[in-house]
Amino acid sequence: MVRHVIGNWKMNLGERESERLAASVLAGIGPAVRGLSVAVCPTYVSIPAVRRVTEGTVLGLGAQDVSSEAKGAHTGEVSMRMLTDFGVKYVLVGHSERRADNGETDAMVAAKLRAVMRSLAMPVLCLGETRAELKAGKRDRVIERHLTTALKGVKPKRSERLVVAYEPIWAIGTGLVCDPEEAEKAHAHIRKVASKLLGKEWSRNNLAVIYGGSVNAKNVGGFVARQGIDGVLVGGASLKAGEFSRIVREFVRGGERS
Ligand code: PGA
């Protein structure tokens, strides 16, 4: 199973800064690593600049969002084909910030997921519970709700792949990282539910479950060692080349040990 380390730069960097950061990350992560896929997701307008630096390298390119529509009168939107034209390989869908700031519902997320699945890019479906839901013991139910709505009726082809990012909302940007043991349990639940919806064999071969929420170079070791944690989605710490490269190297070492 390929593991994934993905940086989500959110709305933080302009064109030149993005270009520079991509170049520094490339220098920091070194040569290709078998079994590990590394990517960064700049804001839409910086994608062309980052592509100039990353094309043909081990650093993949991702996008933070996409329209569910193929084309037409959708002011301000960007279609999947426009992204693939720029070599985008990963697309985040359903990030909790988009659900909160832009009112994205599970149904909208499901439509976006289908748009990405129809392309050659890899969807990264983000989901996770709020602090209140966690306290009320509803984590697994929230996971089920998100997955069921997003994946209902999806019949993936053998060649298609999916990344689910377990991102507890209370851990995003807060410095409160999820206990790796708890993350492992949540990931196991995600696998169980996804296997029911997409088939056991398909899920075993084509589904990766990664963790996101306040991951940094210091705490990532706890996730690398865990069963069923197939990578990480990194926000704040991905804005520093040294920090992000150290996270990647932890996964490289983890891969060599296993
Ligand atoms: P964070 O963000 O690493 O800054 O918590 C993670 C994310 O939003 O994907």
Side-chain angles (χ1 to χ4, degrees), residues 8 10 95-97 167 171-175 212-215 233-237:
N8 176 8
K10 307 191 180 182
H95 191 282
S96 62
E97 284 151 16
E167 295 212 298
I172 295 179
T174 57
S214 295
V215 172
L233 178 55
V234 188

Side-chain angles (χ1 to χ4, degrees), residues 87-257:
V88 165
K89 299 265 161 48
Y90 287 88
V91 182
L92 309 185
V93 291
H95 191 282
S96 62
E97 284 151 16
R98 293 209 55 84
R99 294 181 195 255
D101 300 348
N102 303 73
E104 280 191 13
T105 61
D106 278 335
M108 287 157 81
V109 173
K112 289 182 182 211
L113 183 75
R114 278 167 184 67
V116 186
M117 285 191 110
R118 281 193 293 268
S119 76
L120 291 173
M122 172 102 88
V124 181
L125 170 65
C126 305
L127 52 85
E129 79 285 354
T130 62
R131 172 158 292 288
E133 287 163 341
L134 178 72
K135 286 236 161 87
K138 292 185 182 155
R139 180 188 69 199
D140 286 358
R141 247 184 292 160
V142 171
I143 287 173
E144 260 159 60
R145 190 193 73 222
H146 280 314
L147 279 179
T148 312
T149 358
L151 300 178
K152 207 164 144 201
V154 168
K155 300 238 173 340
K157 297 195 192 82
R158 200 179 268 273
S159 58
E160 285 172 346
R161 288 182 298 155
L162 170 67
V163 177
V164 173
Y166 170 58
E167 295 212 298
I169 294 168
W170 52 267
I172 295 179
T174 57
L176 298 169
V177 71
C178 179
D179 179 345
E181 200 177 324
E182 284 305 311
E184 190 175 0
K185 285 184 198 157
H187 283 218
H189 192 59
I190 289 170
R191 269 202 176 272
K192 194 170 127 200
V193 177
S195 295
K196 263 196 212 140
L197 294 161
L198 303 173
K200 225 176 180 166
E201 201 196 323
W202 188 91
S203 300
R204 194 171 40 241
N205 297 325
N206 302 47
L207 170 72
V209 187
I210 67 177
Y211 169 79
S214 295
V215 172
N216 58 35
K218 275 209 187 90
N219 62 31
V220 71
F223 295 99
V224 173
R226 292 277 158 181
Q227 271 290 322
I229 298 192
D230 308 316
V232 283
L233 178 55
V234 188
S238 72
L239 296 171
K240 297 179 208 126
E243 181 96 11
F244 188 66
S245 307
R246 281 202 292 282
I247 292 171
V248 171
R249 284 201 296 273
E250 285 283 341
F251 268 93
V252 173
R253 274 199 290 275
E256 284 164 355
R257 277 196 300 269

Side-chain angles (χ1 to χ4, degrees), residues 1-114:
M1 168 65 68
V2 177
R3 305 218 278 178
H4 308 268
V5 177
I6 306 171
N8 176 8
W9 292 354
K10 307 191 180 182
M11 199 178 72
N12 284 301
L13 306 171
E15 184 186 14
R16 294 283 161 257
E17 296 158 315
S18 301
E19 210 169 359
R20 271 200 297 272
L21 180 56
S24 308
V25 167
L26 254 178
I29 63 177
V33 193
R34 239 188 354 162
L36 186 70
S37 217
V38 186
V40 290
C41 305
T43 186
Y44 283 146
V45 290
S46 296
I47 285 175
V50 173
R51 182 201 198 185
R52 282 196 291 274
V53 178
T54 58
E55 202 168 16
T57 72
V58 293
L59 186 58
L61 188 54
Q64 299 171 17
D65 185 36
V66 68
S67 170
S68 55
E69 301 294 329
K71 72 180 289 181
H74 305 287
T75 304
E77 294 292 310
V78 172
S79 75
M80 197 54 239
R81 196 177 60 78
M82 293 167 184
L83 294 178
T84 28
D85 275 355
F86 279 99
V88 165
K89 299 265 161 48
Y90 287 88
V91 182
L92 309 185
V93 291
H95 191 282
S96 62
E97 284 151 16
R98 293 209 55 84
R99 294 181 195 255
D101 300 348
N102 303 73
E104 280 191 13
T105 61
D106 278 335
M108 287 157 81
V109 173
K112 289 182 182 211
L113 183 75
R114 278 167 184 67

